Amino acid sequence: MNYNQIAKDIITNVGGSDNIRGLTHCFTRLRFELRDTKKAKKEVIEHLEGVISVVESGGQFQVVLGTKVTKVYEAILPMISLEENTAGSEEKGSVWNWILIAISSMFTPMVPAIAASGLLKGLLTITRITASNHGMDITVNQTYILIMAATDALFYFMPIILAYTSAKVFKANEFIAMALGGTMCYPAVVSLMTGSEAVSMFGIAITKASYASSVIPIIIGVFILAYIQKFLEKIIPEVLKIILVPGISLLVMIPATFMVFGPIGIYIGNGINFIYTGMMNLSPALCGAFVGGMWCVFVIFGAHRALLPIGINDVAQFGHQNLLAFAGAANFSQGGAALGVMLKTKSKDLKTVAASAAISASVCGITEPAIYGCNLRLKKPMIYAIICGTIGGAIMGVGGVYGDSFANNGVLTFATYAAFGMKTFIYYLIGVAVSFFGAMGLTFLFGFDDISGNGERVSGSGEGSAESQDVLGITSGADILISSPVEGTAVPMTSVSDEVFSSMALGNGVAIVPEKGEVVAPEDCTVTLVYPTLHALGLMLDSGAEMIIHVGINTVQLEGKHFKKHVEEGAHVTKGTRLISFDLDALKKEGYDTVVPIIISNTAAFREVTGITGSGASLQKPVIAIKNNQ
């Protein structure tokens, strides 16, 4: 897989590097902040090699890549210059979207370090409990102390870490911001703030508060710092900027932070904690049920990022959190539902996707493959997961479950939730078991509309696939019949060598082994997209189906060689109109797989989309049958 080519294609189709205002990534997704989302070609990106899907949520344009995301992200970074991308008109968004984007950009880069901290702390907890059972106290052991320091360092020096990420978001100087954050957790300052004597600055009494491990004060401070810095850069002569801008910025911001913005941040943090604690005090079960049931719904829309500061602040300030404990119920329910799909489905490809997703969610706490790969796609497993996550979260709430680190929930971090005694740990395990096995059981027992071997949905979880139906039976019950835009032989989509197509992640359909190098309109339609390299088309059929036609596998690498365009984007054409042509023999000679996937990209808008395989394909023969929703 050519990650550099994928990176170039993504940049081109999100509107070019000038349209990229910001870019971060999580475990499975690139998260773009675009200046103008209208410039992004969603259908094209969804069709690129390696892309699973595209999600527009919370003001972000998210490209789902799965485990390939880090390599693609690293390939993209040298191709763009985020700090210099000032051209173009920024698309106005809501304040809520801006907040979600800012929070995501500040906290997402910290996720690997947070995950490492949680894993180490879990291992230390197991070691400490094991040693205690044998009458030993290892907490005074120097090795234990040094490793424990590594697990706590991230949270103790949180103002410095957040100063850096916040400065990148607010466009402030990162090192001035880090100096401000370092001042807040400087040992002498911490001693002053935690001592018995009153503290003053310039003779003015200031609010005493410990800023080591704090979250919100530094974010506010850096937000103000960005404006101070911009103002100073405008009025100070160029020759003096390198000295005076940082010097005056710190001289202004240090007293402003300790006198005004720091206390405000502490009060806001205390207020958020008061609200969350109030919910817990009102009903731990209700609070746990809400988070356990809705967490993965928040993940779909990117809104879970807004909740992360609650858990991080709790660990930093109090040494424990329960937010991710409840979120763990959601994680395990997604893994359980995916396992249920794996056990129930008749599709070999879906079995593979579901098995991988179940392991990812339950072992590592990474739920995107389960959510997007099978549960949300099949709908009913997602509902079962929400139900069981709600119950599991409620059980954890009743049991007063807490973890001593901000660790993504999975088998590898179980020990994090054993730090406060076996009683709470047992409640945690019960909540996990109910979430995981409950979702698995409901999915297996009550089923879902399965995807059969040739790509269509089959009611009753795979009972009676299209392979056992004759063509007449399929076509007679269809509301829409679509002819083949390519002459050749129709084969199951699952036989295509590219997993993006064979997994039906882009939609159901059929694949054609071509015998003639020509693509024509299968019915009256509008040409919505002609890919620049001419190997792919997007059509809006007059019947309401949205179609993607992709000629060959990896033929994008030819950059239009051996292809010829006969229509323009936006044209409305009649059935049989030639759209593109290609030199079939030349593609074969250069070693390319010439199979042509025909995808109905809005499959979810219909009750059933069936590929008709095992026969010749032509404009006179239907290859896709569609049943409308009743």
Side-chain angles (χ1 to χ4, degrees):
M1 184 173 289
N2 189 333
Y3 294 108
N4 285 329
Q5 185 60 51
I6 296 173
K8 290 177 183 177
D9 291 341
I10 291 175
I11 291 171
T12 298
N13 290 290
V14 296
S17 60
D18 288 342
N19 196 38
I20 302 173
R21 184 173 58 190
L23 173 64
T24 59
H25 76 92
C26 56
F27 288 110
T28 59
R29 284 176 279 184
L30 294 174
R31 298 171 177 271
F32 287 95
E33 299 167 36
L34 301 181
R35 298 182 183 281
D36 185 356
T37 57
K38 294 178 183 177
K39 293 181 179 180
K41 298 180 179 179
K42 181 178 179 181
E43 286 189 0
V44 177
I45 297 172
E46 287 179 329
H47 200 54
L48 294 176
E49 180 187 10
V51 175
I52 297 173
S53 65
V54 175
V55 180
E56 294 183 75
S57 176
Q60 291 184 334
F61 190 87
Q62 303 172 9
V63 181
V64 183
L65 292 162
T67 56
K68 301 175 286 292
V69 67
T70 301
K71 292 183 178 179
V72 177
Y73 175 78
E74 291 172 350
I76 287 178
L77 283 184
M79 301 179 187
I80 61 177
S81 179
L82 299 178
E83 293 184 353
E84 296 176 3
N85 279 347
T86 55
S89 59
E90 294 190 8
E91 189 175 41
K92 303 258 183 213
S94 68
V95 173
W96 176 244
N97 280 350
W98 181 86
I99 291 173
L100 285 179
I101 291 170
I103 291 174
S104 176
S105 300
M106 282 185 276
F107 288 97
T108 298
M110 299 164 52
V111 168
I114 290 173
S117 173
L119 180 60
L120 285 177
K121 185 157 283 190
L123 294 174
L124 288 177
T125 299
I126 293 174
T127 305
R128 174 172 56 81
I129 293 174
T130 303
S132 178
N133 290 337
H134 289 81
M136 293 184 291
D137 180 12
I138 66 167
T139 59
V140 296
N141 181 277
Q142 293 178 348
T143 301
Y144 179 92
I145 292 170
L146 289 171
I147 297 176
M148 181 61 77
T151 71
D152 292 335
L154 175 70
F155 297 98
Y156 184 85
F157 296 106
M158 186 63 70
I160 300 176
I161 308 295
L162 274 176
Y164 178 80
T165 58
S166 300
K168 294 184 77 69
V169 171
F170 300 134
K171 309 302 180 188
N173 183 290
E174 292 96 331
F175 296 98
I176 299 174
M178 290 171 71
L180 180 62
T183 304
M184 297 172 72
C185 53
Y186 188 71
V189 173
V190 174
S191 296
L192 278 176
M193 292 297 181
T194 56
S196 57
E197 296 181 3
V199 180
S200 64
M201 193 171 193
F202 300 123
I204 302 172
I206 61 177
T207 302
K208 291 179 63 176
S210 177
Y211 294 104
S213 303
S214 62
V215 172
I216 298 177
I218 188 61
I219 295 176
I220 297 176
V222 174
F223 177 75
I224 302 299
L225 172 65
Y227 286 96
I228 297 293
Q229 180 184 316
K230 291 174 185 176
F231 173 75
L232 292 174
E233 287 174 344
K234 287 181 180 179
I235 64 172
I236 293 177
E238 191 70 33
V239 69
L240 299 175
K241 281 183 181 179
I242 193 170
I243 297 175
L244 293 184
V245 170
I248 296 175
S249 295
L250 280 178
L251 190 60
V252 171
M253 285 307 304
I254 289 174
T257 298
F258 286 114
M259 291 180 176
V260 182
F261 303 118
I264 289 174
I266 291 294
Y267 293 141
I268 292 174
N270 289 342
I272 294 172
N273 184 69
F274 176 80
I275 293 171
Y276 185 73
T277 304
M279 291 176 59
M280 279 293 297
N281 292 336
L282 177 66
S283 176
L286 185 60
C287 185
F290 176 76
V291 177
M294 296 302 295
W295 184 263
C296 284
V297 177
F298 294 153
V299 168
I300 295 170
F301 295 100
H304 67 300
R305 299 287 172 187
L307 301 177
L308 294 182
I310 296 175
I312 292 175
N313 186 72
D314 281 353
V315 173
Q317 293 286 324
F318 311 114
H320 60 75
Q321 58 80 27
N322 56 14
L323 177 70
L324 280 195
F326 302 150
N331 287 2
F332 280 102
S333 68
Q334 292 294 329
L339 182 59
V341 170
M342 189 273 289
L343 295 172
K344 187 77 170 179
T345 183
K346 304 297 183 181
S347 167
K348 292 182 179 179
D349 293 280
L350 185 55
K351 277 185 183 292
T352 301
V353 171
S356 175
I359 293 171
S360 176
S362 57
V363 176
C364 305
I366 303 171
T367 55
E368 283 89 346
I371 293 173
Y372 295 109
C374 54
N375 297 344
L376 185 61
R377 174 182 170 194
L378 299 172
K379 297 183 180 65
K380 288 181 181 178
M382 188 71 184
I383 295 172
Y384 304 145
I386 291 173
I387 292 171
C388 294
T390 300
I391 299 171
I395 292 170
M396 293 179 188
V398 170
V401 173
Y402 280 94
D404 63 347
S405 67
F406 195 76
N408 211 30
N409 272 255
V411 172
L412 295 177
T413 58
F414 266 5
T416 294
Y417 299 94
F420 298 102
M422 288 306 298
K423 180 181 178 181
T424 56
F425 186 49
I426 289 172
Y427 271 101
Y428 175 75
L429 294 178
I430 293 173
V432 165
V434 169
S435 300
F436 183 83
F437 293 108
M440 180 190 72
L442 289 178
T443 302
F444 185 80
L445 291 174
F446 295 101
F448 46 87
D449 292 338
D450 197 8
I451 295 175
S452 70
N454 65 347
E456 83 277 9
R457 289 189 182 278
V458 183
S459 297
S461 190
E463 297 173 6
S465 70
E467 294 175 356
S468 63
Q469 298 174 309
D470 57 28
V471 173
L472 181 61
I474 297 173
T475 57
S476 63
D479 298 302
I480 302 171
L481 293 174
I482 301 176
S483 300
S484 176
V486 180
E487 289 187 16
T489 303
V491 298
M493 188 74 80
T494 52
S495 68
V496 178
S497 60
D498 192 316
E499 65 178 5
V500 174
F501 302 112
S502 63
S503 67
M504 276 80 74
L506 300 177
N508 296 348
V510 70
I512 310 296
V513 178
E515 297 172 356
K516 183 178 180 181
E518 188 174 77
V519 178
V520 301
E523 66 177 60
D524 294 357
C525 60
T526 299
V527 180
T528 58
L529 171 70
V530 179
Y531 196 81
T533 55
L534 308 182
H535 73 293
L537 290 167
L539 305 177
M540 172 58 80
L541 308 186
D542 286 2
S543 61
E546 297 174 10
M547 177 178 285
I548 296 173
I549 304 172
H550 191 284
V551 179
I553 303 301
N554 295 326
T555 47
V556 64
Q557 297 170 355
L558 292 170
E559 299 183 344
K561 183 181 177 183
H562 307 313
F563 288 86
K564 186 176 180 180
K565 179 173 67 172
H566 301 287
V567 294
E568 298 296 331
E569 273 187 21
H572 187 272
V573 298
T574 57
K575 182 176 181 178
T577 300
R578 187 165 58 167
L579 305 177
I580 60 172
S581 56
F582 54 96
D583 190 331
L584 184 59
D585 291 334
L587 295 183
K588 291 179 179 179
K589 188 175 181 180
E590 292 205 26
Y592 286 90
D593 184 345
T594 59
V595 69
V596 182
I598 312 294
I599 303 118
I600 303 301
S601 58
N602 62 338
T603 292
F606 304 103
R607 181 160 60 94
E608 184 174 315
V609 174
T610 305
I612 304 172
T613 64
S615 62
S618 69
L619 199 60
Q620 288 71 45
K621 290 185 178 181
V623 292
I624 296 176
I626 297 177
K627 293 182 180 180
N628 290 324
N629 289 316
Q630 298 299 318

